Amino acid sequence: MLEVKENKEMSELSNKVEIPFSKNVALWKVFLISLTVSFLFLMICSANSFLYAFNDNQDINWYITVGNGMLNGKVPYKDLFEHKGPIVYYVFAILCSVGNPYINAFFLEVLCMTFFLFFSYKIMLKFTTPFRAIIAMIILCFIYTTSSFFVVGGGAVEEYCAPIFAWFLLCFFDFTFDKKDFLYFRTFMMGILLGVLFMVKFTLILFPAIILVIWFVLKLKQKDYKKTFISILIMFLAFLLIFILSLIYFIVKDAVSDLFLVYFYDNLFLYKTELSILSNFKMIFFNGFVGMCFVILGLIVYIHKFDKKAITYTILVLSYLLLIIVSGNFSYYYQPLLVFASVGLAFTVEYLARLKFKKNFRKLSIILTIVLCFGLCFPFGNATNEMFWDKDDYIHFQIAKDINNYGIENPSLFCYKMWDYGFYNVAGITPSEKYFANNLFEEENFPDMYDSFHEAIEQQRNDFVLIKDENYNDEKEFIDQYYQIYKEYSYTYYKNTYTSYILTIYLMTPVN
């Protein structure tokens, strides 16, 4: 009765306020708005955009290096060590096959953000009108692309998976809020998307897993056993389909054992970073303050409006938040939390709509919202201070030029104990070393990688070596036996607009 009453009140409010869009606004129009907003905001906030000369973020460069390597006959995990899921490398091999991979990654971001906003809009429709949902959707895009959780462009697989999270949340509300049971086709799609998440980054299935546990418990309470277990079987078979398809390439390349060793064993047992619950709490609620305000606000209002019927949503939000706090390490791990902001934004815009504005202002509000949020992207975007840089402002292009002018045909390059900042990609060189970059495994947990680093130097296996100044100073006596400094380069590396450090690199050549 409470739910019916709330929906009735919302309907009455909608009738009192003139709305430029009909109640049944065409979804294709919403999709086009989502596409336009995504393009505009990412054009400013993603360093993959054509407005930027280069993206030196390390994660996307790892993916591009492996993608280029696959096109040149290298096999992920076996020939090039990286520890994301195989689907990431399949996608980036495609992005690297034609044109500029950074621009291609930008358009992939736009596509993913478009579907994220579209599904978020459909979530918001449950709590507000179509017109207001579009306003909230635009604000959501601004919050997402300027959040500290948003790496400067294509650097986090969480960004590409955002529409999957939004779709699962939409399914959750369809089931718990609208009392619509899952059709078999929907359970099939759930299995497909669970498989995709699992083969991109298996920890990402935590979010939909909580949703499915809630769904399973509620279905058992309804004693709908037959349909429930048929749905689970369909999900499992769809999941298995994606899993098997992901293995075919590695079966052909005789590298299945390498995939399982790196992606599953190494990630589960060797990839260990320092965990600080206090630090995670700070990153979530302080660094991500704006987005989390709407997450918490949405939860509070939802509880207030629907009382006991809000139990399932409360369990979902708090369970996932707790899991993230006790397992996260880096800011982009918290991106999926922003999917909950759609609820808070819907309630906020619905409340503001109760204020009396002139009719003309209401009609212009979508355009005004886009203009305002778009303008705010410039001061609050994570990469915008590099927007007007030239290629000459990045040392990568000078290093590539110096390597090319050195006179060695098909030179080899090794970045010693470094992240992949994009030096391989700018130079157009596929690494010959399996451990071509430092993947954040600690030496005591993963000595094989560090032994390979040292052997590459001792055996002088590469024509050129790049090394950061601090690593060189720490190991000068060892390095100088085998390589000598050819040139020194330095520039300001920005992790985001407000966090930077001086990156000094030595280009070294073998000692004769």
Side-chain angles (χ1 to χ4, degrees):
M1 290 298 295
L2 181 59
E3 182 181 336
V4 173
K5 181 180 178 182
E6 290 296 335
N7 290 335
K8 184 177 179 181
E9 289 176 354
M10 191 173 295
S11 177
E12 290 173 352
L13 176 63
S14 300
N15 292 331
K16 291 177 182 178
V17 181
E18 181 178 346
I19 302 170
F21 289 89
S22 67
K23 191 169 185 179
N24 297 314
V25 59
L27 289 180
W28 68 267
K29 293 181 180 179
V30 177
F31 186 84
L32 286 180
I33 294 173
S34 301
L35 178 62
T36 302
V37 170
S38 298
F39 179 84
L40 289 175
F41 284 38
L42 286 169
M43 180 179 68
I44 302 301
C45 296
S46 170
N48 291 324
S49 161
F50 48 85
L51 296 182
Y52 293 81
F54 182 59
N55 185 356
D56 56 357
N57 177 269
Q58 61 275 7
D59 280 24
I60 191 171
N61 281 293
W62 263 312
Y63 309 153
I64 291 175
T65 299
V66 176
N68 279 323
M70 291 177 69
L71 297 178
N72 288 302
K74 299 285 187 179
V75 180
Y77 313 117
K78 183 177 183 179
D79 301 320
L80 294 175
F81 182 88
E82 232 290 304
H83 58 101
K84 289 294 188 298
I87 289 180
V88 177
Y89 307 125
Y90 297 152
V91 170
F92 271 86
I94 295 172
L95 298 182
C96 292
S97 61
V98 179
N100 185 325
Y102 299 94
I103 297 297
N104 294 339
F106 166 71
F107 286 112
L108 176 61
E109 287 180 276
V110 171
L111 183 64
C112 292
M113 182 61 68
T114 298
F115 278 100
F116 170 71
L117 296 180
F118 181 74
F119 293 135
S120 296
Y121 165 84
K122 296 189 76 173
I123 292 169
M124 294 170 184
L125 276 185
K126 299 182 184 302
F127 311 110
T128 189
T129 64
F131 176 69
R132 295 163 196 163
I134 290 174
I135 297 290
M137 181 185 72
I138 296 167
I139 300 172
L140 176 64
C141 188
F142 166 73
I143 290 172
Y144 196 102
T145 55
T146 58
S147 168
S148 63
F149 304 158
F150 180 79
V151 181
V152 296
V157 294
E158 284 82 355
E159 178 188 348
Y160 302 126
C161 295
I164 300 178
F165 301 137
W167 184 79
F168 268 102
L169 186 59
L170 175 63
C171 293
F172 171 84
F173 281 121
D174 282 347
F175 181 70
T176 60
F177 187 81
D178 293 332
K179 307 303 179 184
K180 295 179 182 177
D181 204 355
F182 297 160
L183 299 176
Y184 289 140
F185 177 75
R186 176 164 281 196
T187 56
F188 175 79
M189 288 305 302
M190 285 180 169
I192 292 291
L193 295 177
L194 285 170
V196 169
L197 290 177
F198 189 74
M199 300 307 282
V200 166
K201 182 178 177 180
F202 54 76
T203 55
L204 295 181
I205 66 170
L206 288 174
F207 178 80
I210 298 171
I211 291 175
L212 292 176
V213 168
I214 293 172
W215 165 80
F216 180 71
V217 171
L218 292 178
K219 290 294 288 182
L220 291 183
K221 287 181 66 177
Q222 295 171 7
K223 298 183 179 181
D224 192 359
Y225 304 122
K226 181 180 178 181
K227 188 173 181 179
T228 301
F229 285 103
I230 291 175
S231 296
I232 291 173
L233 178 61
I234 291 173
M235 280 187 218
F236 175 74
L237 292 176
F239 174 91
L240 195 61
L241 175 64
I242 296 299
F243 183 78
I244 292 172
L245 289 175
S246 300
L247 295 183
I248 292 176
Y249 168 84
F250 293 93
I251 293 172
V252 172
K253 296 294 184 179
D254 192 27
V256 174
S257 60
D258 298 281
L259 184 153
F260 277 83
L261 176 64
V262 176
Y263 184 52
F264 293 106
Y265 179 82
D266 289 351
N267 275 323
L268 284 171
F269 301 107
L270 301 182
Y271 187 73
K272 298 177 181 178
T273 55
E274 291 185 7
L275 175 64
S276 171
I277 293 178
L278 183 61
S279 176
N280 291 345
F281 192 89
K282 173 181 173 293
M283 280 195 284
I284 291 172
F285 290 100
F286 181 76
N287 295 0
F289 177 76
V290 176
M292 290 307 298
C293 278
F294 288 103
V295 172
I296 301 303
L297 175 65
L299 178 59
I300 292 172
V301 176
Y302 195 87
I303 293 171
H304 174 71
K305 276 180 165 293
F306 303 111
D307 197 24
K308 293 180 180 180
K309 292 185 178 182
I311 291 175
T312 52
Y313 184 62
T314 305
I315 291 172
L316 171 60
V317 175
L318 296 183
S319 297
Y320 189 66
L321 179 60
L322 178 62
L323 285 173
I324 286 291
I325 289 176
V326 301
S327 63
N329 291 101
F330 304 105
S331 61
Y332 53 82
Y333 281 30
Y334 314 123
Q335 272 190 39
L337 287 169
L338 295 178
V339 72
F340 298 121
S342 59
V343 179
L345 281 165
F347 287 137
T348 300
V349 174
E350 181 65 26
Y351 170 76
L352 293 175
R354 297 172 184 266
L355 303 177
K356 293 184 178 180
F357 295 108
K358 291 182 179 180
K359 184 195 300 185
N360 290 339
F361 179 80
R362 290 199 302 270
K363 290 183 177 180
L364 289 173
S365 54
I366 285 183
I367 296 174
L368 292 174
T369 302
I370 292 177
V371 171
L372 177 62
C373 291
F374 181 74
L376 290 174
C377 284
F378 288 89
F380 293 109
N382 288 323
T384 50
N385 56 335
E386 295 182 51
M387 186 181 300
F388 302 107
W389 284 21
D390 296 321
K391 288 184 177 180
D392 292 341
D393 293 313
Y394 296 93
I395 61 176
H396 307 65
F397 296 92
Q398 185 59 53
I399 290 173
K401 182 179 179 181
D402 289 337
I403 290 175
N404 184 59
N405 291 338
Y406 197 82
I408 297 177
E409 188 175 355
N410 298 320
S412 57
L413 175 66
F414 175 45
C415 296
Y416 179 74
K417 290 188 178 180
M418 287 170 52
W419 295 347
D420 190 341
Y421 292 98
F423 295 107
Y424 294 113
N425 302 321
V426 173
I429 296 174
T430 297
S432 55
E433 297 292 330
K434 175 179 179 178
Y435 300 101
F436 63 92
N438 190 332
N439 292 80
L440 295 180
F441 286 82
E442 297 294 334
E443 187 168 2
E444 58 268 24
N445 298 327
F446 198 16
D448 289 353
M449 182 170 70
Y450 289 85
D451 290 342
S452 178
F453 289 160
H454 298 143
E455 289 171 4
I457 299 297
E458 290 175 337
Q459 297 173 16
Q460 297 181 314
R461 293 198 298 238
N462 296 276
D463 299 312
F464 297 96
V465 168
L466 289 176
I467 182 171
K468 293 170 69 173
D469 58 340
E470 58 261 38
N471 289 336
Y472 175 73
N473 293 331
D474 290 342
E475 303 180 58
K476 185 176 187 301
E477 186 175 340
F478 166 67
I479 299 292
D480 284 347
Q481 296 178 64
Y482 308 102
Y483 283 87
Q484 59 192 353
I485 295 177
Y486 176 64
K487 278 192 177 181
E488 177 182 337
Y489 312 83
S490 185
Y491 85 117
T492 302
Y493 173 80
Y494 285 91
K495 296 179 70 174
N496 55 58
T497 302
Y498 306 105
T499 307
S500 65
Y501 56 85
I502 301 299
L503 183 63
T504 300
I505 302 289
Y506 297 131
L507 177 63
M508 308 193 76
T509 56
V511 173
N512 295 325

